[in-house]
Amino acid sequence: MAGLTRRGTPLKRARRFQHVVNVLAKYGFGEAMSRFRIWECEHIRRDILKRTCPFPEMTLPERLRAAMEELGPTYVKLGQVLSTRPDLVPAEFITELKKLQTSAAFVPTPTVRSIIESELGQPISAIFDSFDDKPLAAASLAQVHRAVLHGKQVVVKVQRPDIVENTELDLDIMRDVARLAERRSSTIFLVNPVGIVTEFGAQLKKELDFRAEAYNFIHFAKNFENDPSVRIPRVYLELCTERVLVDDFLDGINIADTAKLRAGNYDLQLIAKRGANVGFKAAFLHGFFHADPHPGNIFVLPDNVIGVIDFGMMAILTQRDRERLAKLVYYISARDERLVARALNELMEADESVAAEDLEPALSAIINEYADLPVSEGRLGAMLFAMMRVIMDRGAR
């Protein structure tokens, strides 16, 4: 994706860096930046780092969430990703990062129309029967509008202007700060911030190319083509470009809106079972699943059919890892701490495995905490991340 190689002018980078430091210092992170000599990345006034935080009533996690919101799309996206990583982030931070806004300021209609017409090479009136100028939703990277195409209700996802260049500039700054932090702090080094930023940047690069997302739609739909309990929107490849994506509109109820589902006489038990089946089949059977799963991507359609949308962030599991993960889940269900420990070491492929007897007490506590709770893909993920953190903690000693 050519656009992601642009990092802006040195002046633009310096201004953005200054803004990032200013915002972080305002929310009380100046001392932390001083500790690893942030000025080695870019010239800044060191007195900025000594500012007194004007939000003493806010907790540390609350201040981090507020700073990320103020810093904009790249940082909001990073916070959302970190909120799904309990292996890296303490629980109190995850709780707060999950609150990061999923909506953003609307892009003006003339700009949206201009992007669509530029990408598709013809007037909107020649493409769609009708186009709703009022946005259906706006997120950090894109904005969505409803339209009618050949008599069918569709949604049109449009990338925000300048988002690619701005995102790459932020990633460039993140990489430099992560390298500096690793050199200055042995504790931070263990978390591997450079690796986190690299992985995050690679995933974000994919998410900013809507053609890749279009093919993810098709891939996921093919995996479930013989399952009538699941519906994936049809994507219109002829109308998909790097910055525009068009797919069928799913008129359903958000799976988290249980009050509305009950009011509509939906079968919540069946919905839960089908939702779990989608997650487990995607991961264990197909090895192709959502890397950013949350209720906003899942809808319930008539007859308790599960509708899945948003395929920008996907993950792949090899056959070997699927087999290892399945074995681990089986041992968890059997509550065999020793075999769970062995399977975890095998799955993580650590350079030095941790002795099973050193892991058993902690793993037993985790299994007992989660085993009797309702089964779900998210619950399994939380359990696995908790177990992985145990191995990482023991291995760091």
Side-chain angles (χ1 to χ4, degrees):
M1 188 174 173
L4 278 173
T5 61
R6 301 193 304 270
R7 299 183 180 181
T9 64
L11 179 59
K12 186 172 183 180
R13 175 196 156 92
R15 286 175 175 169
R16 179 58 176 168
F17 193 94
Q18 289 276 359
H19 178 65
V20 170
V21 171
N22 265 305
V23 170
L24 291 175
K26 181 175 79 172
Y27 285 99
F29 297 100
E31 183 182 346
M33 289 187 286
S34 293
R35 205 174 298 138
F36 55 81
R37 302 167 66 92
I38 191 69
W39 51 82
E40 292 185 9
C41 287
E42 194 83 38
H43 176 71
I44 59 168
R45 287 174 31 223
R46 299 189 192 181
D47 60 305
I48 293 174
L49 304 178
K50 299 178 182 178
R51 291 176 59 183
T52 300
C53 176
F55 310 104
E57 75 286 356
M58 296 176 69
T59 64
L60 182 60
E62 286 174 339
R63 286 189 274 120
L64 179 61
R65 186 260 306 156
M68 286 181 153
E69 285 184 339
E70 189 166 330
L71 287 172
T74 313
Y75 291 85
V76 167
K77 199 71 184 176
L78 177 61
Q80 291 171 339
V81 170
L82 290 177
S83 74
T84 67
R85 296 295 304 271
D87 58 322
L88 299 175
V89 182
E92 62 273 21
F93 282 86
I94 286 180
T95 299
E96 196 61 33
L97 292 177
K98 284 183 179 294
K99 300 176 185 177
L100 278 169
Q101 59 183 10
T102 54
S103 61
F106 291 135
V107 177
T109 298
T111 302
V112 171
R113 283 180 165 267
S114 175
I115 292 172
I116 294 172
E117 293 182 344
S118 173
E119 289 291 305
L120 299 183
Q122 47 187 322
I124 283 180
S125 58
I127 305 170
F128 302 105
D129 304 346
S130 65
F131 181 86
D132 190 349
D133 285 329
K134 182 180 179 181
L136 185 64
S140 55
L141 304 182
Q143 183 162 301
V144 176
H145 290 253
R146 290 184 66 171
V148 177
L149 177 69
H150 307 316
K152 293 196 68 175
Q153 293 284 333
V154 297
V155 291
V156 185
K157 183 176 180 180
V158 185
Q159 194 174 101
R160 287 181 170 275
D162 302 321
I163 190 67
V164 171
E165 182 178 359
N166 293 339
T167 295
E168 180 55 33
L169 183 61
D170 278 336
L171 286 170
D172 191 38
I173 292 171
M174 286 180 184
R175 279 189 285 266
D176 284 350
V177 173
R179 292 188 191 103
L180 184 62
E182 281 195 356
R183 290 203 304 270
R184 294 291 175 185
S185 170
S186 58
T187 303
I188 292 178
F189 178 81
L190 291 174
V191 179
N192 188 18
V194 171
I196 292 171
V197 173
T198 300
E199 180 184 340
F200 171 63
Q203 184 58 61
L204 198 54
K205 178 178 178 179
K206 295 176 185 176
E207 194 170 357
L208 284 168
D209 185 349
F210 291 174
R211 294 170 301 188
E213 182 176 358
Y215 285 109
N216 288 342
F217 264 89
I218 294 170
H219 185 174
F220 200 87
K222 185 170 180 59
N223 288 343
F224 286 90
E225 62 183 350
N226 296 319
D227 190 339
S229 69
V230 184
R231 182 178 167 196
I232 315 301
R234 172 191 172 186
V235 66
Y236 297 86
L237 276 180
E238 68 278 11
L239 298 177
C240 293
T241 71
E242 193 171 320
R243 303 176 68 197
V244 174
L245 185 144
V246 181
D247 62 278
D248 283 338
F249 173 72
L250 292 188
D251 190 8
I253 301 172
N254 187 296
I255 197 168
D257 193 347
T258 53
K260 195 170 184 179
L261 290 170
R262 286 193 180 96
N265 293 319
Y266 286 84
D267 187 335
L268 268 62
Q269 186 173 359
L270 178 59
I271 290 168
K273 180 180 178 181
R274 286 179 169 179
N277 281 341
V278 172
F280 288 129
K281 281 184 178 179
F284 289 102
L285 182 60
H286 307 301
F288 184 70
F289 58 98
H290 267 272
D292 181 28
H294 59 79
N297 293 334
I298 307 173
F299 293 86
V300 181
L301 310 177
D303 298 324
N304 302 297
V305 170
I306 304 296
V308 186
I309 64 169
D310 193 351
F311 294 90
M313 295 182 69
M314 303 299 291
I316 296 174
L317 275 177
T318 64
Q319 181 66 39
R320 182 182 63 178
D321 284 342
R322 275 180 269 164
E323 290 172 356
R324 289 176 172 178
L325 188 57
K327 185 164 60 174
L328 173 61
V329 172
Y330 174 76
Y331 293 150
I332 290 172
S333 67
R335 302 197 182 199
D336 189 324
E337 297 88 353
R338 181 174 293 275
L339 290 178
V340 167
R342 291 178 181 174
L344 268 173
N345 275 316
E346 185 180 63
L347 181 64
M348 294 182 68
E349 294 186 332
D351 292 334
E352 294 183 11
S353 61
V354 183
E357 55 268 24
D358 292 339
L359 297 174
E360 287 174 28
L363 293 181
S364 178
I366 293 171
I367 291 171
N368 289 332
E369 177 184 355
Y370 285 95
D372 294 326
L373 294 174
V375 175
S376 72
E377 181 185 10
R379 186 69 64 186
L380 174 64
M383 185 195 299
L384 294 179
F385 279 134
M387 290 178 173
M388 288 176 186
R389 174 169 284 171
V390 168
I391 284 190
M392 291 169 69
D393 289 345
R394 297 298 191 283
R397 292 179 182 177

